[in-house]
Amino acid sequence: MLLARIIKSIVIIIFSCILLKIIQYLLKKLFEFTKFDTRYEKTLCSVLSSISYYIIFVVSLILILREFNIVDVTTFGTLVTGASIVGLIAGVASQSILKDIFNGFFILFEKQIQVGDFIVINEEFRGSVEEIGIRSTSLRDWDLKRITISNGNITSIRNFSKNKMRVVSHVRVSYEEDPMKVIESLEEVCSIMNDKFDEYLLKNSEGKSISEFKVYGVTDIEKNPVGAQYTITGVVESYRYFSASKEVKLQILIVFKKNDIKIAYPTHINVLHYDNDYKNEL
C-alpha cells in the first residue's frame, strides 16, 4: 500500500513537470501572435510562467498529501488539519515570502523593469534582466553568470533601457593646454558623432535629433591638480547608450592625438641623492 502511494506521488510530480513545460510552451506560442512590445511580451511570459509554477506546486503538494491521508479535500476535518499544517509552514516563511511577492508586484505594476532591460540593482548587481518572477528577479551579467535576487531585497533600480539616455563624457586635459584649442577639438568630436553616428541620437516624430552632442564646457578645475575637466553630452536611444559612450571616448583620443593635445595624468619625479665620495668615483 505504501509503495503504491509513493508511485502515485512520483507520477504526480512527473505529470506536474510535464504540465509546467506545456504551459510554458503554449505561453511562448501565444505571444508569437500578439502585437505587444517584444520586451513586454517576454516580461508577461516570465511572470505567467512563475505564477503557473507556484499554482502547480501547491496543487501537486495537496494531491501528494492526500495520497498519504494527510489532506482530504472531500472531508472538512482533514482539510482543516492539512490547512493547519500548511498554515504552520507558511507562518514561518510568510514574512519573507509576502515581502518578495508584494515588492515584485509593485515592480511589475509600475513597469520599473522588463525582460531585456540592462539594470543595476542596489548599486551592486548589474546585468540584463533574464527573468522576472513573483518572488525573484534574475539577471545575466557581463560574464554570463546568472544572478538571482529576491524581490524583497531590491531597494534601488537603475534602468539603462528606458527609451532615452544622456551620454556624459568627461576628459581631463593638462593646464598647459590652450583651453580654446581643447574646446575646438571637442566640438570636432561632437560634429563627428552627430554626422557619422547620427543613428545613435534620439529623434522626435519628425526624425529630428532632440539633443545632439555638444560641448558642455569646463566642469572642474579644483578637485584634481593635474588638469582641467571638460565635458561633452548628447541624448541617445537607450539601447545605443553603451555603443555611443565607447565611440565618444575613442573619437576624443583620435582627435586629441591629431591636434597634439595631451590628456592629463599623474606624474612622479624621483630625486636621487648621493654623497661626495660617490660623486668623485664617477
Side-chain angles (χ1 to χ4, degrees), residues 218-259:
V218 180
T219 51
D220 178 49
I221 58 173
E222 300 172 350
K223 295 181 180 179
N224 196 311
V226 301
Q229 177 179 279
Y230 298 78
T231 302
I232 61 177
T233 65
V235 179
V236 299
E237 298 280 358
S238 58
Y239 69 96
R240 297 282 198 176
Y241 173 78
F242 293 103
S243 297
S245 183
K246 289 188 296 182
E247 194 60 46
V248 168
K249 294 177 176 63
L250 175 60
Q251 293 302 323
I252 288 174
L253 291 176
I254 293 172
V255 173
F256 275 22
K257 185 176 180 60
K258 182 187 72 173
N259 296 339

Side-chain angles (χ1 to χ4, degrees), residues 9-26:
S9 299
I10 294 173
V11 170
I12 291 172
I13 293 172
I14 294 173
F15 178 77
S16 299
C17 293
I18 295 173
L19 180 61
L20 181 61
K21 293 294 183 182
I22 292 173
I23 291 174
Q24 291 174 342
Y25 174 79
L26 291 176

Side-chain angles (χ1 to χ4, degrees), residues 42-43 46-47 50 54 99-109 111-122 125-141 145-159:
K42 291 181 179 179
T43 302
S46 176
V47 173
S50 178
Y54 285 106
K99 183 180 179 182
D100 292 339
I101 292 174
F102 277 114
N103 206 32
F105 170 77
F106 285 116
I107 289 172
L108 292 168
F109 181 75
K111 295 183 179 180
Q112 297 178 23
I113 58 175
Q114 292 182 329
V115 173
D117 287 356
F118 185 89
I119 65 173
V120 178
I121 292 179
N122 299 345
F125 307 103
R126 64 174 57 220
S128 298
V129 179
E130 191 168 80
E131 184 178 344
I132 303 175
I134 59 174
R135 285 204 59 239
S136 63
T137 298
S138 297
L139 309 179
R140 187 73 65 175
D141 68 6
K145 291 184 296 223
R146 184 181 171 97
I147 303 171
T148 301
I149 305 153
S150 298
N151 291 332
N153 292 329
I154 298 176
T155 56
S156 67
I157 298 174
R158 279 200 293 148
N159 196 327

Side-chain angles (χ1 to χ4, degrees), residues 39-100:
R39 289 186 301 166
Y40 186 60
E41 288 180 354
K42 291 181 179 179
T43 302
L44 282 177
C45 185
S46 176
V47 173
L48 292 175
S49 295
S50 178
I51 293 173
S52 302
Y53 170 82
Y54 285 106
I55 291 175
I56 291 173
F57 174 79
V58 171
V59 173
S60 300
L61 180 62
I62 292 174
L63 292 175
I64 292 172
L65 292 175
R66 189 185 67 173
E67 288 297 324
F68 291 91
N69 296 324
I70 299 174
V71 173
D72 187 354
V73 294
T74 61
T75 306
F76 180 77
T78 55
L79 183 61
V80 171
T81 303
S84 300
I85 295 172
V86 174
L88 180 63
I89 297 172
V92 177
S94 61
Q95 185 175 0
S96 175
I97 293 173
L98 288 176
K99 183 180 179 182
D100 292 339

